[in-house]
Amino acid sequence: MHTIWKGSISFGLVNIPIKLHAAIEDKDIKLRTLHKECHSPIKYEKICPVCETEVKPEDIVKAYEYTKGKFVVLEDEDLKKLKQANEDKAVEIIDFVKMAEIDPIYYDRSYYMSPGDGGGKAYSLLRKALEDSEKVGLAKIIIRSKEQLAVVRVFENTLIMETIHFPDEVRKAGDVPNVPSEDKVTNKELETAIMLIDQLTTAFEPDKYTDEYRSALLDLIEAKRTGKEVVTPAEKETKSNVTDLMAALQASIDNTKPEKPKKPAVRKKRAAARPKEKKEA
């Protein structure tokens, strides 16, 4: 597994060198956008609307819009110093709580934790302590320039760190519109609903749930590929100088050819129409 972060995590005086590995694999099917006419991939350019020119990466700066149309520019050096000042600190477990107290709405991403050099025993100690106490650890960590609140817990004999949202990042449920304030249901309706839930209740088996849309899309792509229903970008036409020169010479020759003298048109004389003879009565 690829290591995305190296550091250490501690609780009390126990310090554990660790490595983080992404526990989640993104399997979304990425579709490209092509020009319908020639099937060439579309390019997206960064254009300044004022200068009306393409902006290069070295000409882009980061800024915070504190009010509409007003920005505070942040220099890369300032952000780098701020990042280093926080990343140099070891990750410390600040609290231990029961996992049931954390609502799933707070969870974000999952990372496997492996022990670094010499950290095997301390790793095992934390894993065993969390298992026996039935608790999880709460810690703070900076990943990709963003400070994260995280939960450290045991998952299949491995320590796993799951980043969770800060409380101010979770919108209030009370702000959701059109939610009924009271349950206006009859006892009969409630009993029937609970009976249906009981009938559909089963043990959670993750392997039986699949992304049916992704599977169908992959089947469609494979069917088109094997059926040769594929497209390739049209090659941009490039004319060599020789071709251009020859075409220009030929066009010049065609334009300078002497015109053939036109033969005078021979007009045929029409025979004069004879008056019709009157029939004798």
Side-chain angles (χ1 to χ4, degrees):
M1 273 188 188
H2 177 66
T3 301
I4 64 168
W5 188 91
K6 288 182 180 181
S8 62
I9 187 168
S10 63
F11 62 105
L13 299 178
V14 180
N15 187 280
I16 312 168
I18 61 164
K19 300 174 183 178
L20 291 187
H21 316 271
I24 305 300
E25 183 179 0
D26 184 4
K27 289 198 172 183
D28 284 348
I29 300 173
K30 304 293 190 299
L31 300 178
R32 297 288 302 275
T33 52
L34 308 181
H35 183 200
K36 186 177 180 179
E37 185 69 24
C38 67
H39 300 128
S40 298
I42 302 299
K43 292 182 178 180
Y44 294 93
E45 301 174 343
K46 293 182 173 67
I47 304 293
C48 174
V50 176
C51 302
E52 296 183 349
T53 56
E54 183 179 355
V55 182
K56 297 179 180 178
E58 59 267 23
D59 296 326
I60 297 176
V61 296
K62 294 180 180 178
Y64 175 73
E65 188 174 12
Y66 62 92
T67 188
K68 186 68 175 178
K70 301 290 184 181
F71 301 91
V72 173
V73 176
L74 301 172
E75 302 294 338
D76 289 341
E77 190 64 28
D78 296 332
L79 294 174
K80 186 177 179 180
K81 289 180 180 178
L82 188 62
K83 179 181 176 183
Q84 289 177 341
N86 287 274
E87 279 191 337
D88 289 343
K89 297 179 181 179
V91 179
E92 182 182 3
I93 296 178
I94 50 181
D95 287 310
F96 289 94
V97 299
K98 292 182 178 180
M99 188 172 178
E101 296 177 355
I102 305 174
D103 192 274
I105 196 172
Y106 286 96
Y107 287 95
D108 185 18
R109 294 190 66 85
S110 302
Y111 302 91
Y112 288 125
M113 299 171 61
S114 65
D117 296 338
K121 186 174 182 178
Y123 183 96
S124 299
L125 174 63
L126 178 58
R127 180 182 61 192
K128 183 63 174 172
L130 291 176
E131 281 182 331
D132 291 355
S133 66
E134 297 181 348
K135 301 283 179 64
V136 298
L138 283 179
K140 282 186 177 182
I141 183 174
I142 289 186
I143 301 177
R144 297 187 179 97
S145 302
K146 185 180 186 299
E147 186 175 62
Q148 300 272 335
L149 195 59
V151 168
V152 178
R153 66 182 183 91
V154 180
F155 177 73
E156 296 183 359
N157 204 41
T158 302
L159 287 178
I160 191 170
M161 176 180 286
E162 295 182 282
T163 56
I164 63 176
H165 298 290
F166 285 100
D168 60 353
E169 294 178 317
V170 179
R171 293 177 175 176
K172 295 179 181 179
D175 294 338
V176 180
N178 305 321
V179 176
S181 58
E182 298 179 2
D183 295 327
K184 296 179 181 180
V185 297
T186 64
N187 290 335
K188 183 65 175 177
E189 291 170 334
L190 182 59
E191 290 172 3
T192 305
I194 292 175
M195 185 184 301
L196 178 60
I197 290 174
D198 290 340
Q199 290 176 352
L200 296 176
T201 298
T202 183
F204 178 57
E205 299 175 8
D207 292 339
K208 77 175 187 179
Y209 304 103
T210 58
D211 188 339
E212 295 179 4
Y213 173 78
R214 177 163 59 89
S215 298
L217 181 56
L218 285 172
D219 290 342
L220 175 62
I221 292 171
E222 183 62 16
K224 283 183 169 289
R225 187 186 70 81
T226 54
K228 306 303 180 184
E229 291 187 45
V230 295
V231 296
T232 54
E235 293 185 4
K236 188 176 180 181
E237 186 179 353
T238 54
K239 296 181 179 180
S240 65
N241 290 334
V242 175
T243 304
D244 289 344
L245 179 59
M246 290 302 298
L249 289 172
Q250 186 62 50
S252 300
I253 292 171
D254 293 341
N255 291 334
T256 55
K257 281 182 178 179
E259 294 185 2
K260 293 181 179 180
K262 293 182 180 180
K263 294 181 179 180
V266 179
R267 293 183 179 180
K268 291 183 179 180
K269 293 183 178 181
R270 279 187 175 182
R274 294 179 179 178
K276 291 182 180 180
E277 296 180 0
K278 292 181 180 182
K279 290 183 180 181
E280 295 181 359

